[in-house]
Structure formats: structure tokens, C-alpha cells
Amino acid sequence: MYKQTLKIVLMSLLLVMAQSAGAAVSSSAQMPEVREIETEWARLYYMDEFLNKNYRELQDLAARANQLVQDHPQNAEVLVWDAVVLSTLAEKKGGLGALSLVKQARLRLEQAEAIDPETLGGSVYASLGTLYSKVPGWPIGFGDDAIAEQYFNKALALNPDGLDINYFYAEYLVDQGKDELALDYLERALNAPPMTDRPMADRGRRQQALRLRADLTGS
């Protein structure tokens, strides 16, 4: 149960890989260390199919990301990327220890929100929304649908045409039993501008949206 939940949570944090078309150049373009974290994470997760042999490398990457946070505690993108790595480590770890890592990831996202909530195209809000919608509620975790809805609304206000936010909000609506409304947001996701700087993320997310739409329509 925990492993499946955390796998879904991880996918929400992939939002940081995808800024909307026309967005301003991110600070990661000026900070090589952030780009290195992003590139290594993508290699471990995508290129090597996230095999067990990568766990030690992932731990090393988490240590690097954490050190970057210590060196640049007021950089919102650094905080978000640390959250990404923590969540990926949580998926690999599983169990209650994984939930602890996800709580750390939430803290990083909240810190990023306090500094610059619009960083990475509003992905902080979308990531927090999915965390609150997918993590178990009290007494196991911190999940809360009402809080999730608030974060999703903020994310949509910042990036109404984004592929990721529309997909994740659609997924949230399915969980709420609102399939018809979810289909509307899936169409928005599929019609979103392509993420030309993140072709792998763009392709994967569109495939997810198509699968979810097929599940809802039976076709």
C-alpha cells in the first residue's frame, strides 16, 4: 500500500521537470549544480529504468541535493529538486521509512512555496496538491483532500494550460468520483503545448493521460 501510494506521489513531483511553454528561464539555467542534480536524477530514473542497483547512487544524489540546500537555503528551485530526490528515494525505500522521507519532501516544498510559489511554473502548488491528495490521512499520514483542492486551484490559476497540472487535477477528480469533470481536464492536458525542453516527460505524461482517458471511457 505504501509503495503504491508513494509511487503515485513521486509522479506528482515530476512536475518540476516540466515548465510550461514560454515560461521564463529558470534559475537552474544559471546554477550548474542544479542542472547536474536534474540530469543525474533523470539518468537514474529513466535511463536505467530505476533498477535496484541504483539505490546507492540515489542515496549519493540525495546527499548532494541536501548539501545544495545547505549552501543555497533560499533558492526555491534547489528546495524543489531536493524534494524530488527525497520522493524518489522514498519510492525505493517503501514502508513507514518512506513516509518519513515524503514528509521531508513536503517540508522542502513548503519552504520553496514561502520563497517563490511561482517557481518552475507553479509546480510547487501542484506537487503539494498531489501530496495531500495521495498520501494517507491521519493517523498514518498528512493527507487532506480539502487542502489538496486549495493547492490545485492555486496551481491552475498560475498555469491553466499546463500538461502536468491538468493531468494531476484530473486524477484527483477521478479519486473524488467526478469522472465527467476529470475528462474535461484530461482533454486540456492532451491539448497542452508540448514541453519541447523535456521531451521524455512530455511523452510519458501524455501516455498517462491517454491511459486514464481510456479507463474512464472504456475505449
Side-chain angles (χ1 to χ4, degrees), residues 165-205:
I165 178 53
N166 280 289
Y167 170 77
F168 284 109
Y169 190 54
E171 188 179 58
Y172 167 78
L173 290 170
V174 171
D175 291 341
Q176 299 298 307
K178 300 177 180 179
D179 292 1
E180 290 298 323
L181 187 56
L183 284 169
D184 291 341
Y185 282 91
L186 283 175
E187 290 303 320
R188 295 186 192 186
L190 291 168
N191 290 322
M195 301 184 295
T196 55
D197 59 335
R198 299 290 186 269
M200 189 177 297
D202 185 89
R203 181 171 62 254
R205 185 69 73 238

Side-chain angles (χ1 to χ4, degrees), residues 7-19 41-42 45-46 80-81 83-85 87-88 91 120 123 126-127 130 164 168 195 198 200-202 204-205 208:
K7 184 174 182 179
I8 297 171
V9 168
L10 169 68
M11 296 308 296
S12 74
L13 296 178
L14 300 184
L15 289 162
V16 301
M17 300 293 292
Q19 298 179 63
W41 176 86
Y45 192 77
Y46 289 116
V80 172
W81 268 107
V84 171
V85 178
S87 297
T88 311
E91 182 189 356
L120 296 166
S123 63
S127 297
T130 306
D164 283 314
F168 284 109
M195 301 184 295
R198 299 290 186 269
M200 189 177 297
D202 185 89
R205 185 69 73 238
Q208 286 182 309

Side-chain angles (χ1 to χ4, degrees), residues 42-161:
R43 182 186 73 80
L44 290 172
Y45 192 77
Y46 289 116
M47 302 304 291
D48 291 340
E49 299 181 354
F50 207 24
L51 301 176
N52 290 334
K53 67 178 182 179
N54 294 335
Y55 187 68
R56 184 175 296 277
E57 291 180 87
L58 188 59
Q59 288 178 308
D60 292 342
L61 185 62
R64 287 169 54 192
N66 181 66
Q67 183 58 54
L68 200 57
V69 169
Q70 304 313 310
D71 295 340
H72 304 277
Q74 296 302 309
N75 186 301
E77 289 191 18
V78 167
L79 291 164
V80 172
W81 268 107
D82 191 44
V84 171
V85 178
L86 284 169
S87 297
T88 311
L89 195 61
E91 182 189 356
K92 289 297 295 178
K93 188 178 183 67
L96 290 176
L99 191 58
S100 175
L101 288 169
V102 170
K103 288 180 179 179
Q104 292 180 46
R106 177 186 62 165
L107 176 60
R108 293 300 194 222
L109 290 170
E110 289 173 340
Q111 291 171 331
E113 179 189 9
I115 295 167
D116 181 7
E118 297 186 19
T119 190
L120 296 166
S123 63
V124 171
Y125 287 143
S127 297
L128 283 166
T130 306
L131 279 172
Y132 276 97
S133 69
K134 294 298 185 182
V135 169
W138 187 90
I140 298 173
F142 56 82
D144 188 307
D145 286 343
I147 295 176
E149 181 77 31
Q150 293 172 12
Y151 277 124
F152 280 128
N153 287 336
K154 289 180 179 180
L156 285 164
L158 281 174
N159 190 13
D161 299 321

